[in-house]
Amino acid sequence: MTATKIFGIAGWKNSGKTGLMVRLVSELTRRGFVVSTVKHAHHDFDIDKVGADSYRHREAGAHEVTIVSGTRFAIMHELRGGPEPSFEEIIARLAPCDLVLVEGYKREPIPKVEARRQESVNREPLAPSDPHICAIAADHPVEDTELPVFDLDDTNAIADFVERMTGLQRNSGAS
């Protein structure tokens, strides 16, 4: 694996970001790439269950709690009033991979596709004010742009675009 490449999916709430992310991860891993993801949440979240041993460790004051099994591991880091880590700090914690797909972080200076959906909460385009948006994926016609426009559900075309934009190279054995 070479230096990690980063590509983002940005958009307003209900714009189709998560669906596009999931489809892209599936397609790009099918193509033989090792893909990691980062999702920014604008709200409090918890990946633990009340009463679980790991939850009890956190409640007792642990700074980090690591859960490990033969299938996966997770590290929960409690901020305890400290600042949210920067985008760069999060990327630095990831294991080596071919591509990091980022959902959210719409203000980060990374190449990204803007997801747009008719029923989105906010339909104000991001692209005109963000020079890092290099394409638009929408479920409706988009005019007044010089950017490439994809159908939001055209996963193969968007995955091809991500490959070209990031310079991903397929292994000779990948399909």
Side-chain angles (χ1 to χ4, degrees), residues 56-125:
R56 294 174 64 203
H57 295 187
R58 285 190 310 124
E59 288 296 300
H63 178 64
E64 286 191 328
V65 176
T66 305
I67 306 169
V68 182
S69 75
T71 309
R72 72 187 52 89
F73 74 91
I75 300 172
M76 292 177 285
H77 180 100
E78 290 298 310
L79 295 176
R80 306 231 184 264
E84 179 178 314
S86 71
F87 179 73
E88 293 78 15
E89 290 171 315
I90 294 300
I91 296 298
R93 291 196 85 158
L94 297 176
C97 62
D98 296 315
L99 176 68
V100 177
L101 280 177
V102 178
E103 181 180 342
Y105 284 102
K106 66 169 93 47
R107 303 292 179 224
E108 287 299 320
I110 59 172
K112 56 188 96 101
V113 168
E114 178 182 352
R116 294 183 187 174
R117 197 188 272 153
Q118 285 282 12
E119 66 246 18
S120 180
V121 171
N122 183 342
R123 288 189 302 237
E124 179 184 340

Side-chain angles (χ1 to χ4, degrees), residues 14 19 31 39-40 59 66 71 92 102 114 132 134 168 175:
N14 296 325
R31 294 179 184 191
K39 158 100 174 111
H40 189 260
E59 288 296 300
T66 305
T71 309
V102 178
E114 178 182 352
H132 301 287
C134 48
L168 282 171
S175 57

Side-chain angles (χ1 to χ4, degrees), residues 9 14-31 33 35 37 99 101 103 113-117 136-139 150-160 162-163:
I9 307 298
N14 296 325
S15 63
K17 296 183 305 293
T18 301
L20 179 55
M21 282 281 291
V22 169
R23 292 189 309 275
L24 283 175
V25 170
S26 286
E27 178 58 23
L28 292 167
T29 56
R30 187 194 65 73
R31 294 179 184 191
F33 296 111
V35 179
T37 66
L99 176 68
L101 280 177
E103 181 180 342
V113 168
E114 178 182 352
R116 294 183 187 174
R117 197 188 272 153
I136 297 166
D139 71 351
F150 298 97
D151 182 289
L152 186 58
D153 293 322
D154 193 348
T155 306
N156 286 326
I158 299 169
D160 290 344
V162 170
E163 277 192 58

